[in-house]
Amino acid sequence: MVSVKDQIVLITGASSGIGASCAKLFARNGAKLILAARRLERLKQLADELTKEFGSQIYILQLDVRDRSQVESSLTALPEPWINIDVLINNAGLSRGLDKLHEGNIEDWEEMIDTNLKGLLYVTRTLVPGMVKRGRGHVINIGSLAARGAYPGGNVYCASKAAVRTISEGLKQDLLGTPVRVTEIEPGLVKTEFSIVRFHGDKQRADKVYENLTPLTPDDVADVVLFCVTRPPHVNISEVMLVPVEQANAMLVYRRS
Ligand code: NDP
Ligand code: 8X3
């Protein structure tokens, strides 16, 4: 088993949902955390909580993963004790809208592609060379069940997650011969701020997504991430799909009436 104690773990999108849950679980297990996202106040609040509860060492990074030069400059200029990142959790991501493709909002598309796909690529391209050089590292990409097929209105979001799936597969191939591990995690419905963001703040509409079923919690996903990272070094969990019991695929859920 690999222990995460004193390992340096960078989590993108740590200010909410799955990223924040990963931060809590890795902190509880003794990791040193770099928490990245755009909302600085949220990160500070989380870091305070974790420091109080677990005595964690935390570095806060205000970062927009869509900004290539900011990604490169901030990640290459990390202070010396933080530079050798062991685990990268590429979690920052979002959906915007649920419109038919031919009626879709092009700004929404660009935001999803720039964040879910290009942002993940920028961070990965900046950090993985160091992992290869040091001969240790693990990249966790938070994909989605949406990668496995489109659902009505999901078009560009699903495509962005299909790209994450393919990129994870390609990265695994390209890292063959190195000890660096790559895992893609594909959750189904997880109750976070995801749907509020998708519907541009319409909480009522967001709540309906999880109505009359028991969704995954972000802690459920964090649990799986920690499991993958703590396998023995010769084991690579390449992909995990986890869904609520009441979800069969992206299109088929059971709602108790
Ligand atoms: P949340 O909305 O709760 O969290 C999303 C996180 O991503 C926030 O911390 C947000 O931080 C961050 N983020 C968004 N854009 C950027 C950006 N440009 N730069 C840096 N950080 C950014 O949703 P989830 O926790 O659910 O989402 C996390 C991941 O899980 C996403 O990749 C999502 O696609 C995926 N996922 C979610 C599922 C679900 O049902 N909830 C299911 C399957 C996958 P900030 O706004 O502060 O920058
Ligand atoms: C989020 C899950 O099914 O809402 O990636 O697209 S879904």
Side-chain angles (χ1 to χ4, degrees):
M1 293 268 284
V2 170
S3 164
V4 296
K5 183 155 177 20
D6 294 329
Q7 287 210 39
I8 301 177
V9 179
L10 168 63
I11 305 169
T12 67
S15 60
S16 168
I18 294 169
S21 282
C22 287
K24 285 176 201 155
L25 190 58
F26 278 76
R28 181 174 297 128
N29 283 272
K32 297 178 180 169
L33 299 176
I34 304 175
L35 304 180
R38 293 166 301 179
R39 285 171 294 177
L40 189 58
E41 273 315 308
R42 290 267 200 124
L43 294 177
K44 281 185 182 161
Q45 207 180 327
L46 178 60
D48 282 351
E49 270 173 42
L50 300 182
T51 310
K52 257 188 216 130
E53 196 169 350
F54 307 113
S56 309
Q57 291 182 51
I58 295 178
Y59 185 88
I60 290 175
L61 188 62
Q62 186 171 31
L63 181 68
D64 185 335
V65 296
R66 295 171 299 177
D67 184 336
R68 179 177 156 193
S69 64
Q70 196 196 6
V71 167
E72 289 169 356
S73 61
S74 62
L75 295 180
T76 51
L78 285 168
E80 205 281 322
W82 293 98
I83 196 88
N84 295 334
I85 290 160
D86 298 300
V87 179
L88 162 61
I89 305 179
N90 274 320
N91 163 75
L94 80 183
S95 64
R96 285 292 198 192
L98 196 60
D99 302 318
K100 293 178 191 294
L101 188 90
H102 57 286
E103 294 166 359
N105 178 327
I106 292 177
E107 278 163 19
D108 284 349
W109 298 354
E110 292 191 328
E111 195 175 356
M112 289 187 277
I113 291 167
D114 288 349
T115 310
N116 302 356
L117 176 52
K118 290 168 74 179
L120 177 143
L121 282 170
Y122 298 153
V123 176
T124 304
R125 179 65 181 87
T126 307
L127 294 182
V128 171
M131 293 181 175
V132 172
K133 204 161 137 200
R134 292 187 295 279
R136 55 184 280 138
H138 196 151
V139 180
I140 301 273
N141 289 334
I142 305 296
S144 169
L145 178 63
R148 300 290 181 121
Y151 51 83
N155 44 66
V156 174
Y157 176 72
C158 298
S160 74
K161 290 299 185 177
V164 170
R165 179 167 161 74
T166 304
I167 283 163
S168 305
E169 193 186 350
L171 182 64
K172 177 74 184 83
Q173 293 171 3
D174 294 339
L175 287 169
L176 218 52
T178 81
V180 180
R181 303 192 286 180
V182 182
T183 300
E184 188 226 2
I185 312 265
E186 298 181 344
L189 291 168
V190 190
K191 192 158 187 203
T192 61
E193 293 173 20
F194 177 86
S195 292
I196 298 174
V197 173
R198 163 167 264 172
F199 298 127
H200 295 277
D202 183 342
K203 185 157 181 329
Q204 246 182 340
R205 193 173 174 199
D207 284 344
K208 283 212 171 316
V209 175
Y210 313 104
E211 211 167 63
N212 296 328
L213 57 78
T214 307
L216 297 174
T217 67
D219 289 351
D220 295 328
V221 182
D223 206 25
V224 171
V225 173
L226 184 71
F227 175 83
C228 294
V229 172
T230 51
R231 289 316 86 204
H234 69 286
V235 177
N236 191 93
I237 310 252
S238 296
E239 53 186 50
V240 179
M241 183 198 287
L242 70 154
V243 294
V245 170
E246 288 162 328
Q247 179 171 32
N249 58 42
M251 303 266 283
L252 190 58
V253 296
Y254 175 77
R255 291 185 200 273
R256 300 177 298 267
S257 49

